[in-house]
Amino acid sequence: MLDNRKIKSALLSVFCKEGLDEVVQYLSNNGVKIYSTGGTLSFIEELGASAQSVENLTGYPSILGGRVKTLHPKVFGGILARRDNPDDSKQLEQYEIPEVDLVIVDLYPFEKTLSSGASDAEIIEKIDIGGISLIRAAAKNYSDVAVVASRRQYAELLSMLKENNGGTTLANRKRLATQAFDVSSHYDSAIFSYFNRSERILSFKQSLHGATVLRYGENPHQKAVFYGNFASTFEQLHGKEISYNNLLDIDAAVRLIRDFDEPTFAILKHNNACGAASRPALLQAWTAALAGDPVSAFGGVLVCNRELDSATAEEVSKLFCEVVIAPAYSDEGLAILKQKKNRIILASKPFEPPMMQSRTLLNGMVMQEQDLWVETEKNMTFVTTARPTAEQVQDLIFANKLVKHSKSNAIVLAKDRQLVASGVGQTSRVDALRHAIEKAASFGFSLQGAVMASDAFFPFPDCVEIAHKAGIAAVIHPGGSVNDQKSVDYCNANGVAMVTTGVRHFKH
């Protein structure tokens, strides 16, 4: 096995020609024999370079509307032949098969066609057969053959050839082969996912191009990488490099704010809302959200669902925060926020998050549908004699949205569409409630007339009793406990309004 191999012959069959011209000119200038097909052949000839058609090599025309062009022993034999194997060399000579040292492919744009809303017939025609076969064959025989599997590698190949005087090293070829299998596996995963939308075969395959190495993971001693296209969901307008923990909070913030239609501001710490409010104007929402817990807000992630104006930015800028997220910023508002060098400022773009979420555990992983359910008044069952007022119904809806996005066990106390306090991530629902009540008192909030939301049912009436004695006037929870009636009885005896939704919102 020779390490450095001079490129003497190349097969080019690409969909995208952009950036290929420099590669073609280099190969032609260095006397490389070029084989090509269809549109790629025409492109090469228009550049003034010479190439032999694959049809001429194989003695067969392109058939079946172009579905079969390169699938022939005279093509694949020259790619797969082991140069240090005497029997392979004899067979190449016997069947007059030329060796191919370099294969350049760019596949049909299956994913782009799929996302364009094309018909099934059009999508099917964009499943590349010959190209993917060429990639796999060349990558398998990387000891002798170099392979380029995507237009993203044209420049890398050209640089590689220039560095090695028109050749490639074994290390070069192995790297190219690895990239090739990355391309082919991603391509096949996309095709499988397309077909599996209706079949629902229980097999998990996901492939994401694009990776960002993060400074570290949840803690400095942990390495971390983000796989995905962050730029398709946000435009970073200012600030330092985004960290692993920033990404977790940004994800939590975006999921929460999507549930609100009215002007809303939320402040998150460790994926939980520590402040949130909905108001007619964004500045009012910010002021009320911050008042909910000005201590925890320090160093938090801020998110809103309206353009962030200069007046609001002026107030926001008084708080040290890691990240600010808004759909847009006024010029003056952005300039104010940029005064802090490291503050991450993100403009959110319209995007649909994945319908499924996954988590690694034990020696595998679990998948589930996203919790996208949002309760409205129509989903409420009024189970007590006392009914919540119209204002309390709005507060119950507001509180229930927040508790849905809080770590279980979770209790949220709200009043006038403002997060008054919450107890999250507790092993006991009673502890979560007591923590919320104590927190509300520490910031001077009166709970008289406030509402309580719970992410799960109350197994005993102790929570509604504690809440009532603290001033809570209305309660929303899923219901479903065998002891539901005991909580209802306590509420009826004490004039507390209770509604159930039938939907639990555990979040672990």
Side-chain angles (χ1 to χ4, degrees):
M1 183 188 298
L2 295 176
D3 184 26
N4 193 302
R5 287 206 176 271
K6 186 81 171 177
I7 301 298
K8 299 176 183 177
S9 59
L11 171 62
L12 281 62
S13 181
V14 305
F15 182 84
C16 179
K17 284 80 175 174
E18 185 178 351
L20 185 64
D21 52 342
E22 291 187 66
V23 175
V24 171
Q25 294 290 5
Y26 182 88
L27 295 175
S28 180
N29 292 340
N30 282 267
V32 175
K33 174 70 175 180
I34 300 176
Y35 301 96
S36 193
T37 62
T40 309
L41 178 62
S42 299
F43 175 80
I44 294 169
E45 291 174 339
E46 288 170 5
L47 292 173
S50 62
Q52 181 179 345
S53 70
V54 168
E55 290 88 343
N56 182 270
L57 170 66
T58 64
Y60 279 85
S62 172
I63 61 173
L64 306 181
R67 283 189 167 196
V68 180
K69 290 181 285 191
T70 58
L71 297 171
H72 193 280
K74 279 207 169 184
V75 174
F76 282 86
I79 296 171
L80 286 165
R82 293 156 291 189
R83 309 304 197 257
D84 60 351
N85 185 307
D87 290 338
D88 285 5
S89 298
K90 286 180 182 178
Q91 288 186 333
L92 291 185
E93 184 178 356
Q94 178 183 356
Y95 296 108
E96 299 180 337
I97 300 174
E99 293 180 348
V100 177
D101 304 315
L102 169 65
V103 173
I104 302 178
V105 174
D106 184 64
L107 298 169
Y108 290 161
F110 176 82
E111 289 178 283
K112 184 177 180 181
T113 305
L114 179 61
S115 63
S116 72
S119 67
D120 283 345
E122 292 172 307
I123 292 169
I124 293 298
E125 285 307 310
K126 285 298 184 288
I127 297 177
D128 206 313
I129 303 301
I132 205 79
S133 301
L134 291 170
I135 288 171
R136 291 177 63 84
K140 176 177 180 176
N141 201 26
Y142 75 88
S143 60
D144 298 306
V145 179
V147 57
V148 168
S150 167
R151 59 183 174 274
R152 293 189 296 270
Q153 298 170 263
Y154 293 167
E156 180 183 354
L157 171 68
L158 186 60
S159 176
M160 194 180 291
L161 293 175
K162 289 179 178 179
E163 288 177 7
N164 294 286
N165 297 315
T168 58
T169 66
L170 181 60
N172 292 154
R173 295 192 296 276
K174 188 168 185 180
R175 173 175 170 77
L176 290 171
T178 304
Q179 292 173 325
F181 283 121
D182 177 36
V183 170
S184 66
S185 62
H186 177 85
Y187 198 77
D188 284 340
S189 293
I191 296 169
F192 168 77
S193 297
Y194 165 70
F195 278 93
N196 203 39
R197 292 184 305 181
S198 57
E199 298 300 325
R200 306 301 298 168
I201 294 171
L202 293 179
S203 176
F204 176 75
K205 291 178 176 63
Q206 184 173 18
S207 177
L208 297 171
H209 275 318
T212 303
V213 177
L214 305 174
R215 286 176 291 166
Y216 52 80
E218 208 159 5
N219 300 290
H221 64 277
Q222 295 171 272
K223 295 180 180 179
V225 178
F226 171 69
Y227 292 97
N229 185 2
F230 187 81
S232 69
T233 55
F234 297 96
E235 180 182 2
Q236 183 168 354
L237 304 174
H238 184 72
K240 63 183 180 181
E241 181 183 342
I242 295 173
S243 71
Y244 178 94
N245 290 330
N246 289 154
L247 287 170
L248 294 180
D249 281 327
I250 291 167
D251 179 70
V254 170
R255 292 184 187 281
L256 184 151
I257 206 69
R258 287 172 70 92
D259 284 350
F260 292 87
D261 296 320
E262 60 273 38
T264 301
F265 227 117
I267 307 168
L268 285 84
K269 285 290 286 289
H270 301 292
N271 310 155
N272 294 296
C274 59
S278 295
R279 291 289 186 271
L282 194 62
L283 178 56
Q284 296 172 335
W286 163 253
T287 303
L290 180 62
D293 187 348
V295 175
S296 296
F298 183 85
V301 170
L302 319 182
V303 63
C304 64
N305 58 0
R306 294 292 189 277
E307 178 180 293
L308 211 159
D309 57 85
S310 59
T312 307
E314 196 72 57
E315 294 303 312
V316 166
S317 200
K318 295 176 181 178
L319 174 75
F320 168 73
C321 60
E322 286 275 331
V323 183
V324 180
I325 307 168
Y329 300 83
S330 69
D331 292 341
E332 298 85 355
L334 183 59
I336 292 168
L337 293 172
K338 282 185 174 181
Q339 291 173 6
K340 299 292 184 181
K341 178 183 177 182
N342 291 326
R343 178 182 287 151
I344 298 168
I345 304 175
L346 301 176
S348 55
K349 300 178 181 180
F351 78 99
E352 289 299 322
M355 293 298 293
M356 304 295 289
Q357 62 182 169
S358 58
R359 176 184 289 185
T360 58
L361 51 77
L362 301 176
N363 63 345
M365 62 180 298
V366 290
M367 289 191 72
Q368 67 171 357
E369 296 176 340
Q370 297 278 6
D371 184 1
L372 302 176
W373 187 262
V374 180
E375 288 80 9
T376 66
E377 187 173 357
K378 293 180 180 179
N379 306 116
M380 294 180 180
T381 300
F382 299 89
V383 296
T384 53
T385 303
R387 291 176 69 93
T389 65
E391 291 77 12
Q392 287 172 343
V393 167
Q394 294 306 308
D395 282 346
L396 289 169
I397 293 172
F398 175 86
N400 204 55
K401 290 177 181 179
L402 294 179
V403 83
K404 165 189 167 182
H405 293 280
S406 302
K407 293 287 186 181
S408 300
N409 289 309
I411 292 288
V412 164
L413 307 180
K415 187 176 182 180
D416 299 327
R417 290 182 300 162
Q418 177 188 22
L419 173 58
V420 173
S422 62
V424 300
Q426 301 297 311
T427 54
S428 161
R429 197 160 301 281
V430 171
D431 286 345
L433 174 58
R434 285 177 172 155
H435 177 71
I437 292 171
E438 291 171 7
K439 195 169 185 180
S442 71
F443 291 114
F445 284 103
S446 169
L447 293 178
Q448 294 300 317
V451 305
M452 173 175 71
S454 174
D455 62 339
F457 63 62
F458 301 111
F460 304 102
D462 45 6
C463 279
V464 292
E465 181 178 354
I466 295 168
H468 164 247
K469 290 179 179 178
I472 298 297
V475 177
I476 184 170
H477 73 118
S481 168
V482 295
N483 289 325
D484 272 356
Q485 192 58 43
K486 292 182 180 179
S487 293
V488 173
D489 290 344
Y490 181 90
C491 289
N492 282 335
N494 293 278
V496 178
M498 176 181 282
V499 302
T500 59
T501 64
V503 179
R504 190 180 72 185
H505 290 295
F506 268 164
K507 184 181 179 186
H508 294 106

